[in-house]
Amino acid sequence: MKAIVAREYGPIENLDYADWPEPKATGRTVVIEAEAIGVNYPDGLLVQGLYQAKPPTPFVPGMEMAGRVSAVGEAVTKFKVGDRVVSFTPLGAYAEKIGVDESVVVKLPDNVSGADACALICGYGTSHYALKQRAQIKPGETLVVLGAAGTTGLAAIQIGKIMGAKVIAVASTPEKREVAKAAGADITLGYENLRETLKEATGGKGVDVGYDPVGGDMFDVLARSMAWNGRLLVIGFTSGKIPQFPVNLALVKGFSVVGVFWGTFTAKEPQAHEENMHELMDWLVAGKLKPVIEGIYPLAEAKDVLRRIHDRAVAGKLILKP
């Protein structure tokens, strides 16, 4: 089969579209034939050797795949050949097929597309966990979302609205702010003079929940804009700069800085993760959520698609398809 192969750590441009061994259906393994493959910012960090995990090379990157079950191991009990499913996995999804343990596979309703299902996994999974378990956001609270036109940012907007928050979306261009507005944001702002505009937008009260996948200088701005008893969620660092936090701010302003690492959550709290996935799927089927899919591209173009995400030239989710 064909796959995208990282033969050694290095630039995204070094990824290779090449032959790769097909997965075998043994034990609890479910083999999925790809209908859609999700592309995520951490995929690019991984292949460059900049992510927390560093698997041995060569490897196939990719964390999300939706498709049909083509084979099952003898110990599989939840799935059969022909089922439409979606799966989360640390590696291996940039391929025509993948073999994964049945514990990380979720059955798809017939009316859910593979592209929407992929968007639901990492992006919506991260934002749901962040707002539900980590922030414990309450109706009427103010949620500020940085990087609001990215997959996790758009997910945070939609989930925040479902949970009853007032959502302020921050994005870099008018076009991205329009995408955030269409996703349900109550107010959209740019990054210029952000501290002043947040003060005005919150009536001087400050931010109850800050959602920051950007890091860098904007983390400092958001930290100085937090309300008493606020929760500042650390999602990631797409700016490329990990900020240094002056801890006296948390002391005098009375807010919490909360780390959000969805991948570890899925491993350490599998029951809560499964319940979250079912809730997200229910919201999707009910029409409460609608992932923004910017485009679907051939698997062979993976490195170009991944480069676009790292150049921050995307508003929504990008999908690969064999």
Side-chain angles (χ1 to χ4, degrees), residues 31 105 197 214 303:
V31 176
V105 180
T197 55
V214 176
K303 61 185 178 183

Side-chain angles (χ1 to χ4, degrees), residues 12 38 46 55 99 108 123 131 133 137 170 175 184 187 197-198 205 216 249 257 277 289 292 296 298:
I12 291 171
L46 185 69
L108 283 184
L131 298 179
Q133 274 91 5
I137 197 166
V170 185
E175 294 78 15
I187 298 171
T197 55
L198 283 178
K205 175 181 179 291
L249 282 179
V257 178
M277 283 294 105
L289 294 179
V292 178
I296 299 175

Side-chain angles (χ1 to χ4, degrees), residues 251-274:
L251 187 150
V252 299
K253 294 178 70 67
F255 70 93
S256 303
V257 178
V258 185
V260 179
F261 196 2
W262 178 76
T264 302
F265 162 69
T266 65
K268 289 186 176 294
E269 300 182 51
Q271 184 61 42
H273 164 58
E274 184 176 350

Side-chain angles (χ1 to χ4, degrees), residues 53-278:
K54 287 186 171 61
T57 56
F59 64 87
V60 173
M63 299 188 287
E64 302 159 337
M65 182 185 286
R68 289 198 180 273
V69 175
S70 62
V72 296
E74 64 277 7
V76 171
T77 60
K78 298 179 181 178
F79 305 97
K80 65 182 186 302
V81 172
D83 285 345
R84 287 188 71 243
V85 297
V86 64
S87 175
F88 164 74
T89 175
L91 293 171
Y94 286 15
E96 293 178 337
K97 293 182 181 180
I98 193 172
V100 291
D101 189 274
E102 69 173 338
S103 64
V104 295
V105 180
V106 178
K107 193 171 290 188
L108 283 184
D110 290 338
N111 59 342
V112 174
S113 73
D116 283 353
C118 284
L120 208 67
I121 299 297
C122 295
Y124 281 79
T126 295
S127 296
H128 189 210
Y129 165 57
L131 298 179
K132 181 179 180 180
Q133 274 91 5
R134 302 301 282 154
Q136 299 181 25
I137 197 166
K138 302 174 184 66
E141 289 191 314
T142 299
L143 166 65
V144 171
V145 180
L146 303 187
T151 302
T152 56
L154 291 168
I157 292 169
Q158 294 183 8
I159 294 168
K161 292 304 298 179
I162 290 172
M163 293 182 166
K166 174 185 176 181
V167 179
I168 301 172
V170 185
S172 58
T173 67
E175 294 78 15
K176 289 182 177 181
R177 292 193 283 275
E178 281 300 314
V179 172
K181 188 74 172 178
D186 297 291
I187 298 171
T188 61
L189 301 174
Y191 288 102
E192 302 79 12
N193 304 313
L194 183 58
R195 190 176 177 189
E196 290 75 16
T197 55
L198 283 178
K199 183 176 181 179
E200 180 180 353
T202 62
K205 175 181 179 291
V207 175
D208 295 309
V209 177
Y211 183 99
D212 180 19
V214 176
D217 294 339
M218 290 303 105
F219 175 88
D220 185 66
V221 171
L222 195 51
R224 295 177 186 279
S225 302
M226 296 303 295
W228 184 258
N229 287 329
R231 289 85 74 204
L232 175 47
L233 301 172
V234 180
I235 310 297
F237 314 104
T238 60
S239 68
K241 178 182 176 184
I242 298 176
Q244 301 299 307
F245 178 56
V247 294
N248 61 302
L249 282 179
L251 187 150
V252 299
K253 294 178 70 67
F255 70 93
S256 303
V257 178
V258 185
V260 179
F261 196 2
W262 178 76
T264 302
F265 162 69
T266 65
K268 289 186 176 294
E269 300 182 51
Q271 184 61 42
H273 164 58
E274 184 176 350
E275 291 169 2
N276 280 7
M277 283 294 105
H278 285 301

